[in-house]
Amino acid sequence: MINKQLLQPESIVVVGGSNNVHKPGGAVVRNLLSGHYQGTLRIVNPKEDEVQGIKVFHDMKELPPTDLAIIVVAAKFCPDYVDYLAAEKQVRAFIILSAGFGEETKEGAVLEEHILQTCEKYGCSLIGPNCIGLLTRWHHSVFTKPIPNLNPKGVDFISGSGATAVFILESAVTKGLPFNSVWSIGNGHQIGIETVLEYMDNHFDPEKDSLVKLLYIENISDPDKLLYHATSLIKKGCRIAAIKAGSSESGSRAASSHTGAIASSDSAVEALFRKAGIVRCFSREELTTVGCIFTLPRFTGKNIAIVTHAGGPGVMLTDALSKGGLKVPPLDGPIAEELKAQLFPGSSAANPIDILATGTPEHLGIAIDYCEKKFKNIDAIMVIFGTPGLVQLYDAYDVLHKKILSCKKPIFPILPSVNTAGPEVAEFLQRGHVNFSDEVTLATALTQIMRTPEPADQSIQIRGVDVPRIRQIIDGIEEDGYISPNLVHELLQSAGIPTVPEFVSDDKEAILDFAQKCGYPVVAKVVGPVHKSDVGGVALNVRTPEHLALEYDRMMQIPDATAVMVQKMINGKELFIGAKYEPRFGHVVLCGLGGIFVEVLKDVSSGLAPLSYEEAYSMIHSLRGYKIIKGTRGQAGINEKKYAEIIVRLSTLLRFATEIKEMDINPLLADENDVIAVDARILVRK
């Protein structure tokens, strides 16, 4: 619940405000005053008469009605303050900075629940507890520094951790990244990250609101809400990047101890971000770098020109861009020679364009002009310029400033000398620009942006999928566990997923008869044990009835064996599709190359069911081994269209059969014509 009293309060009371600016109660008052809050600011403190020039109320009963209360007292006192202020002083918004609630103890959780119920009763907004506060252009209700530059087109930043928010702000300020608002949600039991996004989406004004949202997330409490509103905002023109911390087992444990967060699997998070179109980041530097890129004009191409006065950084930037799939095309021919003639001897116009350490601001401007107007195959320009140089950096940065404003192609300024040229860089940032001080970090962040797909179509693809038959099969299953091969086969057929002809029986003669009809060679597999290969339960390329009879006898002696399956032996590249049900998220679908690629190299990509065809193609293309799927070194590729179709149909099957908790098809065998499921297992829990 986000209301006007929280966002635009006409009056604020700080309960626990003090003169000690080294403590939260004093620091939040300092920030409100230095932020030139235009409303009425009140302080409650029984031990002070005046706090930072403001007359103090010794008792809450003396307060007039107030819009917003910032509470900075011990946790055990907070519920009583909230009760009284909401009931008697018409306070309708609370920011509770204090810690010691549900993130620490069960007793603290009880206090927090009491506060939440009071806020719900009176229709109050609640930020926190256990947070650094809320920073907007209307009021600076935080107790921390730094306070970044604030303007309407700056970044909206929402964080599940107060300290992390501070460190991200530190990183952003050095880059010149402006902000519109900073939300530290703390424990977030009323207003979480999803709630803030919902409000921003429902009240979005493209003419007035920020188009960039940065998120630091430790707990996704409502994946559907996050997906819906992030997708909606991105479709309205916004760009969103996020860190989801706690992706490892140890990290999840640390997140849980920090905020009481519920851990979610990393594949589920990856799938959710992919479906929404959220750029995923893994560090503070990467997040703020992506944020800076978002403030620049968009470009859709992949060809980048590098203008530098230092060879080494140009080489490292070229390597990083190329590794990420972007291009630094060679510049040659008459136009390149014409440019080179206007630079000092020894300069290079090949790309990177190296104007040398002796290159002048005029040379910098000329090189940028050529990249914009004469080299037609260039989509964006990256400029590296710092010290050591033999020119006045103020002059060089003035040229860069003017070119950024006038150039029709995006210019990425890389000014590495933030210490030796601190004043010059600071002046450049004050003119409204951002700075990427490290060229490789920039290239990595840009690569991540370019790899992030657009929000997916969230309609369900049911063509070719027999939903009633799927439900009939699932409803007929009476016991939890891995279902029989014949039911697996029926489910896959109902979803329109092609399978190899197979026969399951504990009758040797029936097995031999089927093999004779389908033709040798065949594959024999034990039925019963889950991991067939581990117990010697797979025999490939069985070419004679005698060999099949021996394999049947051997497999039926394997512990837990109940039958033997026989399939026609086919060849092709091995692929993999798997799925797992994640609480709150739904089914996460995984795809990749089969065999060693999935077991050892873990080369898989994930998507959240139901999947669109665009998502399926994006998953396939993001695999490190995609070149094998596409075809390489004279080998034919597979039928990519049919592979994507199977991924989509499987996701539809799962959407209508949530009782399926785990499944994998490994392998599917694929060639340039067909993709066929060879072996699958499905775990059902009702």
Side-chain angles (χ1 to χ4, degrees):
M1 179 185 298
I2 297 174
N3 57 27
K4 184 178 180 180
Q5 289 90 338
L6 178 65
L7 297 178
Q8 297 178 341
E10 298 297 333
S11 53
I12 298 175
V13 58
V14 181
V15 180
S18 73
N19 285 304
N20 188 345
V21 297
H22 299 294
K23 291 185 176 181
V28 70
V29 175
R30 174 202 62 202
N31 286 343
L32 283 164
L33 293 173
S34 62
H36 306 293
Y37 170 61
Q38 297 298 305
T40 302
L41 181 58
R42 301 174 177 128
I43 312 291
V44 172
N45 188 323
K47 299 179 181 179
E48 301 275 4
D49 294 324
E50 184 178 286
V51 166
Q52 300 181 46
I54 300 174
K55 185 179 178 181
V56 170
F57 293 91
H58 292 152
D59 192 305
M60 284 190 298
K61 295 177 182 179
E62 302 170 1
L63 275 174
T66 305
D67 284 345
L68 166 65
I70 303 169
I71 300 182
V72 203
V73 298
K76 62 182 180 180
F77 300 121
C78 290
D80 290 340
Y81 277 111
V82 172
D83 287 350
Y84 183 82
L85 290 169
E88 303 297 332
K89 300 301 177 180
Q90 292 79 54
V91 172
R92 292 298 177 261
F94 291 91
I95 298 174
I96 301 180
L97 306 180
S98 315
F101 291 89
E103 80 282 358
E104 290 190 7
T105 64
K106 291 182 179 179
E107 294 78 11
V110 172
L111 298 177
E112 188 171 345
E113 182 61 26
H114 180 104
I115 291 170
L116 180 61
Q117 290 180 4
T118 300
C119 288
E120 295 297 319
K121 177 181 178 181
Y122 290 98
C124 304
S125 293
L126 172 63
I127 295 287
N130 183 33
C131 68
I132 64 169
L134 173 63
L135 175 65
T136 71
R137 290 178 291 113
W138 190 276
H139 61 106
H140 296 184
S141 296
V142 294
F143 68 87
T144 55
K145 289 184 176 181
I147 304 294
N149 291 328
L150 296 170
N151 70 65
K153 293 302 181 181
V155 171
D156 287 318
F157 173 42
I158 315 166
S159 177
S161 164
T164 305
V166 172
F167 301 150
I168 288 173
L169 287 173
E170 293 274 9
S171 171
V173 166
T174 61
K175 296 179 177 68
L177 181 62
F179 285 78
N180 178 54
S181 67
V182 177
W183 298 69
S184 167
I185 63 163
N187 294 356
H189 285 170
Q190 189 205 64
I191 297 176
I193 289 174
E194 299 93 335
T195 311
V196 180
L197 279 181
E198 178 184 33
Y199 183 87
M200 291 177 176
D201 180 24
N202 292 341
H203 297 82
F204 183 70
D205 183 338
E207 299 299 321
K208 297 179 180 179
D209 291 348
S210 168
L211 298 179
V212 180
K213 320 293 180 187
L214 301 183
L215 316 176
Y216 172 80
I217 306 171
E218 289 182 349
N219 171 40
I220 300 176
S221 60
D222 193 335
D224 286 341
K225 182 184 283 190
L226 178 64
L227 173 62
Y228 179 84
H229 292 292
T231 299
S232 177
L233 282 165
I234 292 171
K235 287 183 176 180
K236 290 174 180 176
C238 291
R239 309 182 81 180
I240 302 177
I243 296 173
K244 170 58 177 76
S247 58
S248 67
E249 182 178 345
S250 298
S252 295
R253 185 179 67 250
S256 296
S257 64
H258 179 209
T259 62
I262 302 171
S264 53
S265 82
D266 196 53
S267 59
V269 173
E270 188 74 29
L272 176 65
F273 284 13
R274 177 190 295 276
K275 184 178 281 289
I278 296 171
V279 177
R280 189 173 189 187
C281 301
F282 295 90
S283 71
R284 301 191 305 271
E285 285 299 307
E286 187 176 2
L287 182 69
T288 55
T289 301
V290 168
C292 288
I293 294 171
F294 282 168
T295 67
L296 301 179
R298 298 193 191 204
F299 73 101
T300 56
K302 289 190 174 183
N303 293 335
I304 295 173
I306 300 171
V307 179
T308 180
H309 72 159
V315 174
M316 289 190 288
L317 179 56
T318 301
D319 287 342
L321 291 170
S322 300
K323 183 179 179 181
L326 296 167
K327 298 178 181 179
V328 184
L331 302 175
D332 50 25
I335 296 176
E337 291 300 321
E338 181 184 307
L339 169 60
K340 188 175 179 181
Q342 298 187 58
L343 305 176
F344 283 144
S347 299
S348 170
N351 203 13
I353 299 170
D354 188 350
I355 65 174
L356 305 178
T358 52
T360 66
E362 182 184 8
H363 291 147
L364 175 62
I366 291 170
I368 293 173
D369 285 343
Y370 268 75
C371 293
E372 178 192 5
K373 299 170 183 176
K374 296 197 174 186
F375 294 123
K376 302 301 183 183
N377 62 332
I378 295 301
D379 302 304
I381 307 161
M382 294 186 175
V383 176
I384 304 172
F385 211 102
T387 58
L390 303 178
V391 300
Q392 286 286 335
L393 283 181
Y394 283 115
D395 296 337
Y397 293 169
D398 185 60
V399 168
L400 185 56
H401 160 71
K402 293 174 181 176
K403 295 301 180 184
I404 290 174
L405 295 181
S406 64
C407 186
K408 295 179 181 178
K409 297 176 181 178
I411 297 178
F412 295 81
I414 303 168
L415 316 181
S417 304
V418 292
N419 290 318
T420 55
E424 293 93 331
V425 173
E427 182 186 87
F428 180 79
L429 299 182
Q430 287 170 4
R431 300 175 86 169
H433 302 298
V434 294
N435 174 34
F436 306 94
S437 60
D438 183 83
E439 59 279 348
V440 175
T441 303
L442 166 60
T444 303
L446 186 59
T447 297
Q448 194 70 354
I449 292 171
M450 301 296 281
R451 287 177 175 172
T452 302
E454 292 296 312
D457 175 10
Q458 296 184 30
S459 60
I460 302 174
Q461 306 294 323
I462 61 173
R463 183 178 178 183
V465 179
D466 188 345
V467 175
R469 178 57 182 152
I470 289 170
R471 285 310 316 166
Q472 185 181 28
I473 295 168
I474 293 294
D475 291 339
I477 297 171
E478 297 180 352
E479 295 183 359
D480 290 354
Y482 285 97
I483 63 176
S484 64
N486 63 304
L487 289 179
V488 172
H489 188 75
E490 286 187 45
L491 278 173
L492 294 181
Q493 282 193 324
S494 299
I497 297 173
T499 58
V500 178
E502 64 183 33
F503 180 72
V504 179
S505 179
D506 59 359
D507 183 330
K508 183 195 293 186
E509 293 304 318
I511 291 287
L512 292 170
D513 184 55
F514 175 82
Q516 192 66 40
K517 290 177 180 177
C518 77
Y520 289 93
V522 296
V523 178
K525 301 176 183 179
V526 69
V527 176
V530 174
H531 300 289
K532 301 176 180 63
S533 298
D534 294 349
V535 295
V538 179
L540 303 175
N541 206 29
V542 177
R543 294 184 173 275
T544 65
E546 293 78 14
H547 185 186
L548 180 58
L550 288 172
E551 291 293 350
Y552 174 89
D553 292 336
R554 181 183 67 80
M555 289 183 186
M556 291 300 290
Q557 299 302 312
I558 294 173
D560 300 322
T562 59
V564 171
M565 175 197 294
V566 180
Q567 295 173 319
K568 176 68 178 175
M569 180 83 178
I570 61 174
N571 295 309
K573 289 188 174 71
E574 290 189 348
L575 304 175
F576 159 83
I577 303 177
K580 183 179 180 181
Y581 184 83
E582 288 285 344
R584 297 176 295 130
F585 285 80
H587 282 100
V588 178
V589 180
L590 306 172
C591 78
L593 293 165
I596 190 173
F597 291 97
V598 66
E599 294 173 6
V600 178
L601 301 181
K602 310 295 184 186
D603 183 17
V604 296
S605 60
S606 58
L608 201 60
L611 294 167
S612 66
Y613 283 94
E614 290 76 12
E615 286 180 278
Y617 281 118
S618 176
M619 289 167 64
I620 295 168
H621 294 167
S622 69
L623 293 167
R624 296 194 301 275
Y626 174 64
K627 288 183 178 179
I628 297 174
I629 290 175
K630 188 176 180 181
T632 184
R633 294 197 173 184
Q635 295 186 355
I638 70 157
N639 190 320
E640 192 175 317
K641 180 180 178 181
K642 288 192 175 181
Y643 187 29
E645 186 175 86
I646 291 174
I647 294 171
V648 171
R649 290 186 172 187
L650 178 68
S651 79
T652 303
L653 161 67
L654 295 168
R655 176 64 180 78
F656 290 101
T658 55
E659 297 90 343
I660 295 175
K661 302 307 177 187
E662 289 183 27
M663 75 170 294
D664 61 61
I665 307 175
N666 189 20
L668 296 99
L669 291 179
D671 57 24
E672 61 268 33
N673 298 313
D674 295 307
V675 180
I676 300 175
V678 175
D679 196 8
R681 58 176 183 164
I682 296 176
L683 175 65
V684 170
R685 288 198 183 99
K686 291 194 167 185

